[in-house]
Amino acid sequence: MAVKFLGQYLLEQGLLTREQLLEALEVQRQCSPMLGELAVEAGLLDARQAQTINDRQRQEDKRFGDIAAELGLLDAAQVDQLLALQKSRRKLFGEILTERGMLTRAQLEQALAEQQAERASAEQDYRQALAGHPLEREIALAIDTANKQFTRILKSRSQFSAVRDAPLEQVDRVSACIEVEASRRLLIGLAADPATTRQIACAFMRIKPERCDDELARDALGELLNVIMGYVIRDTLADDEGYTPSPPDLDLGLPALAAKADHALTVAMTSELGEFELLVGR
């Protein structure tokens, strides 16, 4: 079993067409503006100021409003105003589907029940895989960090999908691997198919698909991994502990990285940009 977004599940079950899914996702995006967009729309920030805060979020694990307040660009009342506006506009994905006649209420409720049953099974597998694992904390942090950075940097949702017995072996997969030497070695890697890698790269660098070639996409995957690794290291090593990270290895591949590890766990992740794998080992 695997954890899926509701739209993915409905598409796989034949309850939505791809065109309907894309339409509903676009409506949901319009109903879920980022705080920076709302601040610019309300005249509280200009586009440059909003981008400055977004750029700070690449380096700091802080909320948009907290960084804006630190920079003196928004006060607490203004942040609360934006949060209330964001909440008032938000619509659940299922609500959009029924409002637009894509699903009946009965179809939606049945699909939600079935999806939740699959989610519960996959999450049970995840808990069992992590229980007692030597890297339990590091794995949980890596997944949580990936999810946060997809939201903050890539403006897309990401979540755990399933535990893998081993990384996928497809020869065309794009990968990035980093090794950190500290009091104990830490290995972490990302891998995705070429189409998903390009989607990630375009979102990461804010560029159009026609400007993204294969080399640029690989480099962007490595930079995203650098960000994830930085947060995992910050939250697992002592403040005074030195460490030496390698630059991202874009040629090794996750199967080879797993073979180097004494302990490793690979999880499948799903995102609105496509599926990818995350490996943590030592």
Side-chain angles (χ1 to χ4, degrees), residues 50-273:
Q51 188 58 52
T52 296
I53 299 169
N54 286 331
D55 290 342
R56 279 274 298 270
Q57 284 190 295
R58 290 174 179 254
Q59 285 83 41
E60 302 178 33
D61 188 17
K62 294 181 180 178
R63 296 174 298 182
F64 184 95
D66 292 337
I67 295 175
E70 287 179 10
L71 295 175
L73 296 174
L74 295 174
D75 59 33
Q78 290 170 323
V79 172
D80 288 343
Q81 173 190 341
L82 293 172
L83 288 170
L85 180 59
Q86 185 183 54
K87 183 177 181 180
S88 71
R89 290 194 184 181
R90 187 173 294 142
K91 284 189 177 182
L92 295 176
F93 188 71
E95 182 183 355
I96 294 169
L97 297 178
T98 55
E99 283 182 355
R100 293 187 165 250
M102 296 178 182
L103 287 182
T104 65
R105 175 61 59 180
Q107 286 175 314
L108 175 62
E109 291 177 354
Q110 181 177 350
L112 283 170
E114 293 170 352
Q115 182 211 18
Q116 289 303 314
E118 287 197 7
R119 177 186 293 272
S121 177
E123 291 178 347
Q124 176 65 21
D125 290 343
Y126 172 69
R127 288 191 293 271
Q128 290 177 348
L130 251 63
H133 194 287
L135 292 171
E136 179 178 357
R137 184 183 179 201
E138 288 85 348
I139 294 165
L141 275 170
I143 292 172
D144 183 60
T145 300
N147 292 339
K148 285 181 178 178
Q149 299 315 311
F150 261 70
T151 299
R152 291 175 177 174
I153 298 178
L154 307 184
K155 310 303 181 188
S156 172
R157 293 182 301 161
S158 165
Q159 65 181 15
F160 161 80
S161 178
V163 175
R164 292 256 196 249
D165 292 331
L168 295 177
E169 293 279 358
Q170 288 107 312
V171 295
D172 65 338
R173 286 179 76 74
V174 183
S175 63
C177 305
I178 294 179
E179 182 173 340
V180 173
E181 292 294 343
S183 56
R184 58 177 182 170
R185 185 176 65 163
L186 182 64
L187 309 172
I188 188 167
L190 288 177
D193 63 35
T196 298
T197 303
R198 282 187 175 238
Q199 291 263 59
I200 289 172
C202 290
F204 187 81
M205 296 183 290
R206 311 283 198 275
I207 61 174
K208 295 184 180 298
E210 56 268 23
R211 293 183 54 201
C212 185
D213 58 24
D214 292 343
E215 183 175 356
L216 199 57
R218 285 160 54 88
D219 288 344
L221 192 69
E223 287 305 310
L224 177 61
L225 181 60
N226 262 331
V227 173
I228 294 172
M229 174 62 90
Y231 282 113
V232 173
I233 288 295
R234 186 199 67 179
D235 292 336
T236 56
L237 296 184
D239 291 341
D240 59 351
E241 184 173 353
Y243 64 92
T244 305
S246 70
D249 187 330
L250 305 178
D251 299 312
L252 184 62
L254 260 59
L257 183 67
K260 293 178 61 174
D262 295 326
H263 301 281
L265 184 70
T266 304
V267 296
M269 303 285 290
T270 187
S271 80
E272 293 170 331
L273 301 175

